Amino acid sequence: MQKFMSAAAAAGALLPLPSSAQTDGQAPTAARDRLPEVIVTARRRAEYARAVPAALSVVSGDLLDQSYTVNTQALTTLIPSLNYSSANPRNTALTIRGLGSSVVAVSQSNDGLEPGVGFYVDQVYHARPATAAFDFADIAQVEELRGPQGTLFGKNTTAGALNITSRAPTFTNERFAELSYGDFDFVQARAWVSGPITDTIAFRLSGVATRRDGVLENVRTGRDANLLGTQAVRGQLLFKPVDTFQMRLIGDFTNFQAFCCTQGFVRVGTSQRAAARQFGGPAGLAAQFRYAPPSIDIYDRRIEIDGPLGVDTNEGGLSAITDWDVGFGTITSVTAWRFWNWDAENDRDYTGLPIQLSQHIPSRQDQHSQELRLASNGEDRLSYVVGLYGFSQRITGRPISIYGPAAARYLIGTATGTGAGATAVPANLLDGYGQDGRTDFRTLSLAAFGEVNWRIVDAITLTGGLRYTHEDKDGYYATYTYGGPALTGTAAQRTALLNAQLGVLRGQSYAADDKDGSLSGRGNVAWQVTDAVLGYASYARGFKSGGINMSGLPLDAANQPALNAAVVRPERNTTYEVGLKTRLFDGRVSVNIDGFYTEVRDFQATIVDTGPTQTAALRGYLSNIPEVTVEGIEADVAALIVPGLTARASVAYADGEYSDYPAGPCPLELQTAATAACDLTGRRLASLPRIAVTAGLDYERAVGSGAVFAHVDTASRSGFNGDPALSRFTYIDGYNLTNANIGYRFASGIEVAGFARNLFDADYLQNVTVQAGNSGLILGTPSDPRVIGGTVRFRR
């Protein structure tokens, strides 16, 4: 349980603090015979985590450093209710309790879909889930807040939020440097420096760079794939002329550039389509092309990719956070601009066959946001936070696809039509046939929010919060097709061949807009049973505005874009929660437990059209699932076993299902030549492990003039289905991942350590994909193999 691992870093000098906390925002120094306190800002004021009547997990900066956690994916080893899936940085999905972004690896991530999990860094909302894939450096604390977050946070999010706080500039000198080296030529360097410039201005400069060779052997080119190549830098200035006023200026830039990201052969599934249209079997596509994957064991990590591969993406921004104590309250202003650039190319057929030669969608996103809050000071019976929020973004893209000489046979077959009306398909019908175009998506969001806490008696506090959000969205999508051979034959034959081409790629042009407003909020009652026991119950109603399909529309029976699918309805989340927080045995043990029930109506998800008109693109588009429910129990325990030895464990049990989904995508095994939809009502929610467990140990003991230290963390997840259609061929088995390190800290401030990532070399799938064309070829990204290495650190 990370929330009780160590004291949180500064929560902001001007935020109202618990009466016993130090004035610099740090938790008071804990005695060696009790667990340290943790300060959080989950309710936009600094307070002890044990006093917040809500389900949350906290990972301190010390634990992040000790566990070598530098990105969001690695956080899942420390937080069981958080799930992360990423086939590449653009197609990144964050979920909490199974709810949030829904991204299918084979589809383009849909720019018109808002994430259900809010991703905040230094109080600034990041609109695109892709930015959560980047490394971060010099982090003070990560808070995972579960359930709707709208009455206190700027952007409304229905599933929860990750609230990340970087370490602030200090008026005392601080230096840190770290260099790690391990297997696969893994090299990671981290450093930061902070200190005063004048009596009123302090600075901080932080950076991280990571390199690692590829872990997938591409037998076609001899070049290993899925390398790591990231770097990030952040610069800060803190201006504090008086105790009642401060301004923090932050600029950051992060880049990911590597020969990445692709997948390998997992298995072959079967459908009810014609034998010649399936990957396996004596008459199947593999046999027709005399093709065999380089390995049928994904954990051999051998692939065959004949197309271009590469990722070049970056993001960054500027922000200003101003706090002004006006006596009765603190006024906070958060002003920010951020950008995100994306370009990546991939071989989307994931084989050595020249089916698709190129697929990528260069994109650019810019966002501007302004938040203004007023939070009451002190510990009066009535406390409050009120605020206004404005947000705008624009995303432009260029979807590009080009097919090759094997595409016609693989995706269409040798003939189109049946019987006497059949027309032979030339083998080169799709050679050079492609798509180009432009997309433009814009959002304007305005909101007013507030929350009031009323301590009606010393032990009982009532909380009520409301938010009104207005969203205005506009989307434009236009693509055209080009290339391919000249069509020959009779007029009827040319028409048949043209329709066959269009069945693979058809240009679309449409514009859509959506405007809506909604009131959401929450209520909470907290009972401080004793100084060491807090009980609470809450109700929350979350709202996520409607979306616009920005990856093209599904086709109707006439092979035309289904314009009625351009806009999806808003998503509404209702969550009930009860919980208990305890601190026992004079602060040596803490136990927290909560139970929840969530009902989501018109759940927004990216799904894939598996109907008879889809052959090559497996087009991903937005849709509403009528109702999804998730219920579960979460618990975490931390214990100071003896001075210097701390243990923690967390468990999350979640039972999620499509409680109303009569027209969902069909699993592969039920697909026929005429299949369009299947009833998934009552089936388990995709991408949600029923049980997730994390645990860890930290040990430190003085030896000589320094200290020996050791750290172990382990995470287990039960199996789940990795695809929304819930095919039995896309099931991901449960797994365990364990990391560890051990080292010695010299009195001079130098540390040396050995580390192991994936200590037991566990094999598991990170994600799965159904190959374009519904052939039955199932692909996936295997776990990274074990990496053992060493680290040298210096801190002062």
Side-chain angles (χ1 to χ4, degrees):
M1 187 178 95
Q2 296 78 28
K3 64 182 70 175
F4 296 107
M5 277 302 302
S6 63
L14 297 179
L15 292 174
L17 292 169
S19 59
S20 60
Q22 295 178 355
T23 56
D24 65 356
Q26 297 282 351
T29 302
R32 286 179 57 83
D33 62 350
R34 68 182 59 190
L35 293 168
E37 293 280 9
V38 174
I39 290 176
V40 298
T41 56
R43 297 196 292 182
R44 292 312 195 191
R45 57 166 48 84
E47 54 190 333
Y48 295 132
R50 61 183 171 87
V52 177
L56 55 84
S57 294
V58 180
V59 182
S60 71
D62 288 343
L63 181 56
L64 291 173
D65 295 340
Q66 187 71 4
S67 61
Y68 294 79
T69 300
V70 296
N71 54 43
T72 312
Q73 181 178 8
L75 279 175
T76 61
T77 309
L78 306 174
I79 304 176
S81 56
L82 178 68
N83 286 286
Y84 177 97
S85 177
S86 181
N88 59 52
R90 178 182 175 86
N91 286 5
T92 295
L94 282 173
T95 63
I96 293 176
R97 296 171 170 172
L99 304 174
S101 302
S102 177
V103 176
V104 180
V106 77
S107 74
Q108 299 164 351
S109 180
N110 204 309
D111 293 334
L113 177 67
E114 289 187 1
V117 174
F119 187 75
Y120 294 84
V121 180
D122 290 327
Q123 304 187 51
V124 176
Y125 171 72
H126 289 216
R128 303 318 306 156
T131 62
F134 293 107
D135 285 355
F136 42 69
D138 203 6
I139 299 301
Q141 185 163 283
V142 176
E143 301 170 19
E144 184 220 33
L145 314 175
R146 302 190 279 275
Q149 305 292 323
T151 63
L152 291 172
F153 279 76
K155 196 71 171 69
N156 201 7
T157 49
T158 54
L162 278 182
N163 185 28
I164 298 174
T165 304
S166 66
R167 294 185 175 102
T170 59
F171 285 95
T172 56
N173 289 315
E174 179 181 315
R175 288 174 288 171
F176 176 91
E178 175 187 281
L179 182 64
S180 299
Y181 180 80
D183 295 331
F184 301 95
D185 282 335
F186 170 83
V187 179
Q188 185 174 84
R190 298 192 300 152
W192 54 79
V193 59
S194 183
I197 298 176
T198 69
D199 290 342
T200 60
I201 300 176
F203 79 99
R204 194 174 194 97
L205 183 64
S206 314
V208 58
T210 305
R211 297 286 185 275
R212 190 204 63 196
D213 289 345
V215 293
L216 299 182
E217 177 191 358
N218 187 2
V219 300
R220 172 59 65 94
T221 64
R223 183 180 182 185
D224 293 342
N226 288 12
L227 288 73
L228 289 180
T230 69
Q231 45 273 325
V233 62
R234 177 188 292 109
Q236 303 183 62
L237 289 175
L238 176 63
F239 175 54
K240 191 174 182 180
V242 293
D243 289 340
T244 57
F245 180 89
Q246 72 175 31
M247 176 181 288
R248 185 178 173 192
L249 302 176
I250 306 172
D252 67 276
F253 177 81
T254 306
N255 176 256
F256 183 102
Q257 193 171 32
F259 191 66
C260 182
C261 303
T262 190
Q263 299 174 306
F265 176 96
V266 174
R267 63 181 67 97
V268 175
T270 57
S271 70
Q272 298 181 40
R273 298 175 185 267
R277 308 308 311 141
Q278 302 195 49
F279 184 83
L285 293 165
Q288 294 174 42
F289 284 91
R290 298 180 180 177
Y291 175 78
S295 174
I296 60 173
D297 183 353
I298 183 64
Y299 303 115
D300 284 343
R301 296 179 174 83
R302 302 178 73 227
I303 61 172
E304 185 175 15
I305 301 295
D306 63 333
L309 182 68
V311 169
D312 186 0
T313 180
N314 55 71
E315 66 119 5
L318 300 170
S319 62
I321 307 171
T322 304
D323 294 297
W324 182 23
D325 186 341
V326 293
F328 64 89
T330 298
I331 298 173
T332 299
S333 171
V334 183
T335 306
W337 161 76
R338 298 203 63 79
F339 72 91
W340 167 62
N341 284 317
W342 164 265
D343 195 11
E345 202 162 7
N346 208 341
D347 183 351
R348 283 277 298 280
D349 59 73
Y350 301 101
T351 70
L353 300 172
I355 300 168
Q356 189 171 42
L357 301 182
S358 178
Q359 193 282 325
H360 61 135
I361 178 170
S363 303
R364 166 81 183 198
Q365 183 248 10
D366 285 272
Q367 68 173 63
H368 300 81
S369 60
Q370 175 62 56
E371 184 174 356
L372 190 64
R373 299 193 309 268
L374 172 63
S376 62
N377 289 336
E379 297 184 5
D380 297 333
R381 288 194 177 273
L382 197 68
S383 61
Y384 57 86
V385 175
V386 295
L388 299 172
Y389 183 78
F391 170 85
S392 67
Q393 77 165 338
R394 183 183 184 188
I395 310 174
T396 57
R398 184 184 174 192
I400 301 170
S401 294
I402 305 173
Y403 288 91
R409 177 73 173 269
Y410 200 94
L411 299 172
I412 301 172
T414 58
T416 180
T418 58
T423 299
V425 172
N428 68 341
L429 181 63
L430 295 179
D431 192 10
Y433 182 68
Q435 167 191 276
D436 203 340
R438 178 174 177 268
T439 65
D440 193 336
F441 176 71
R442 307 184 189 208
T443 300
L444 176 64
S445 176
L446 302 172
F449 58 92
E451 187 169 286
V452 176
N453 303 299
W454 178 30
R455 194 168 72 250
I456 57 175
V457 296
D458 287 345
I460 297 178
T461 300
L462 300 180
T463 298
L466 289 175
R467 176 192 184 92
Y468 181 79
T469 306
H470 176 80
E471 301 268 2
D472 190 347
K473 298 180 179 179
D474 295 279
Y476 172 75
Y477 181 93
T479 58
Y480 62 90
T481 57
Y482 65 92
L487 303 180
T488 60
T490 66
Q493 290 172 331
R494 293 196 303 272
T495 298
L497 294 178
L498 176 61
N499 287 335
Q501 286 182 329
L502 295 176
V504 174
L505 278 180
R506 177 186 292 270
Q508 298 186 15
S509 180
Y510 60 90
D513 64 87
D514 183 55
K515 296 181 181 180
D516 52 49
S518 182
L519 189 68
S520 56
R522 73 177 189 132
N524 180 287
V525 58
W527 179 23
Q528 192 71 54
V529 184
T530 69
D531 289 343
V533 179
L534 173 71
Y536 65 91
S538 65
Y539 163 87
R541 180 75 181 269
F543 165 80
K544 188 166 71 164
S545 61
I548 297 177
N549 273 301
M550 294 304 300
S551 294
L553 299 178
L555 303 180
D556 59 22
N559 218 21
Q560 297 294 323
L563 296 178
N564 62 344
V567 176
V568 295
R569 296 183 298 277
E571 176 182 298
R572 302 184 187 278
N573 176 311
T574 302
T575 296
Y576 303 88
E577 186 174 293
V578 295
L580 196 66
K581 296 189 173 185
T582 66
R583 193 167 171 89
L584 309 173
F585 302 107
D586 195 26
R588 295 183 182 87
V589 176
S590 66
V591 179
N592 295 346
I593 186 169
D594 67 84
F596 67 92
Y597 174 83
T598 298
E599 177 185 276
V600 185
R601 294 191 178 274
D602 289 324
F603 179 68
Q604 297 172 354
T606 302
I607 66 173
V608 169
D609 186 358
T610 57
T613 59
Q614 287 300 304
T615 53
L618 267 188
R619 189 181 304 279
Y621 66 98
L622 294 181
S623 183
N624 289 107
I625 298 173
E627 186 179 84
V628 169
T629 58
V630 184
E631 58 186 351
I633 297 175
E634 298 154 339
D636 44 47
V637 179
L640 181 64
I641 300 173
V642 295
L645 177 60
T646 304
R648 65 191 184 280
S650 300
V651 60
Y653 169 83
D655 184 13
E657 69 171 29
Y658 298 115
S659 49
D660 184 10
Y661 199 9
C666 288
L668 179 67
E669 55 268 30
L670 297 182
Q671 291 179 22
T672 69
T675 298
C678 287
D679 187 353
L680 299 182
T681 300
R683 300 285 302 277
R684 283 182 60 184
L685 187 65
S687 302
L688 175 62
R690 184 163 283 168
I691 298 177
V693 179
T694 64
L697 284 172
D698 280 281
Y699 178 69
E700 183 172 332
R701 181 181 178 87
V703 175
S705 61
V708 171
F709 61 88
H711 168 87
V712 178
D713 58 70
T714 185
S716 297
R717 278 173 161 76
S718 61
F720 58 92
N721 206 299
D723 183 78
L726 306 179
S727 169
R728 63 186 176 90
F729 299 114
T730 55
Y731 190 80
I732 295 177
D733 291 330
Y735 63 90
N736 171 267
L737 173 64
T738 299
N739 305 313
N741 60 77
I742 186 170
Y744 185 79
R745 182 179 302 113
F746 294 89
S748 62
I750 296 176
E751 297 178 10
V752 293
F755 69 88
R757 307 295 293 174
N758 192 2
L759 175 63
F760 301 114
D761 204 18
D763 288 331
Y764 59 92
L765 289 173
Q766 299 185 52
N767 50 62
V768 292
T769 292
V770 180
Q771 188 203 40
N774 295 315
S775 68
L777 176 57
I778 309 298
L779 305 131
T781 305
S783 55
D784 288 343
R786 176 173 52 213
V787 173
I788 295 177
T791 297
V792 177
R793 287 190 183 120
F794 169 80
R795 70 175 79 221
R796 177 168 296 175

